[in-house]
Amino acid sequence: MRVTLEISDFDEMEKLLSFFQTMKLENIKIISSQEAKPNLRKGNKSINPKELFGIWKETPKNIEDIRTKAWNRKT
């Protein structure tokens, strides 16, 4: 089960955490609002995607070749 609490003040958060500690609750996970938001950047709109068409015309690929190569990668 998930319960979401939005707290605007650090002091309020400390009070709430001390309250939970007195109740001896063990399964509490705290997620900061800074962690919840992904870091997004705007893309480069000057790139022409049509230039990418035909990049494999000299060496055609099929999906099985791509999968085989991807699964055999060493990380």
Side-chain angles (χ1 to χ4, degrees):
M1 180 185 309
R2 178 178 287 185
V3 176
T4 303
L5 301 171
E6 290 190 26
I7 301 172
S8 59
D9 190 0
F10 186 75
D11 292 332
E12 289 179 9
M13 183 187 70
E14 286 183 335
K15 290 175 187 176
L16 188 61
L17 286 175
S18 64
F19 173 70
F20 285 145
Q21 289 173 347
T22 61
M23 295 174 47
K24 300 199 188 300
L25 298 174
E26 298 175 3
N27 296 324
I28 295 177
K29 182 177 181 183
I30 300 170
I31 301 174
S32 171
S33 62
Q34 295 168 349
E35 293 174 21
K37 294 179 183 177
N39 186 11
L40 300 177
R41 296 184 297 152
K42 292 193 175 208
N44 184 353
K45 303 295 183 187
S46 67
I47 296 174
N48 183 4
K50 291 182 180 178
E51 294 174 0
L52 298 174
F53 296 156
I55 59 174
W56 288 326
K57 67 182 174 187
E58 300 298 322
T59 56
K61 307 280 185 207
N62 62 30
I63 192 66
E64 291 304 319
D65 294 338
I66 294 170
R67 285 183 182 144
T68 302
K69 187 173 183 179
W71 281 105
N72 289 332
R73 278 191 297 202
K74 305 280 187 213
T75 56

